[in-house]
Amino acid sequence: MRILYQLLVVLFVILQGAAGQPFTYRPFDPCLIQNGHCFPGICRRPYYWIGTCLNGYSCCRKYVEV
């Protein structure tokens, strides 16, 4: 029973530490860095999917033939 109390104390300390961590703000949009655009739903032609935007939309880039 003593081990259970010690595990609960360790869990409480871990949760306290996790709650005190500062929020890391990402000042950049990874979709815009990849020259993409955010669209709701799936990417349609002439765009193709390259990832997910911060708001949950699809990050799409225009397909360019070389």
Side-chain angles (χ1 to χ4, degrees), residues 7-65:
L7 289 175
L8 287 174
V9 168
V10 169
L11 178 65
F12 180 75
V13 170
I14 290 172
L15 290 176
Q16 285 277 335
Q21 291 181 355
F23 176 73
T24 55
Y25 175 70
R26 297 192 294 181
F28 61 91
D29 187 2
C31 185
L32 293 177
I33 290 177
Q34 299 178 38
N35 295 327
H37 299 283
C38 296
F39 293 107
I42 63 173
C43 302
R44 305 277 186 201
R45 287 187 184 185
Y47 294 95
Y48 64 97
W49 187 82
I50 58 172
T52 305
C53 296
L54 296 176
N55 58 3
Y57 286 174
S58 296
C59 182
C60 306
R61 183 188 298 165
K62 196 168 191 175
Y63 182 74
V64 178
E65 286 191 37

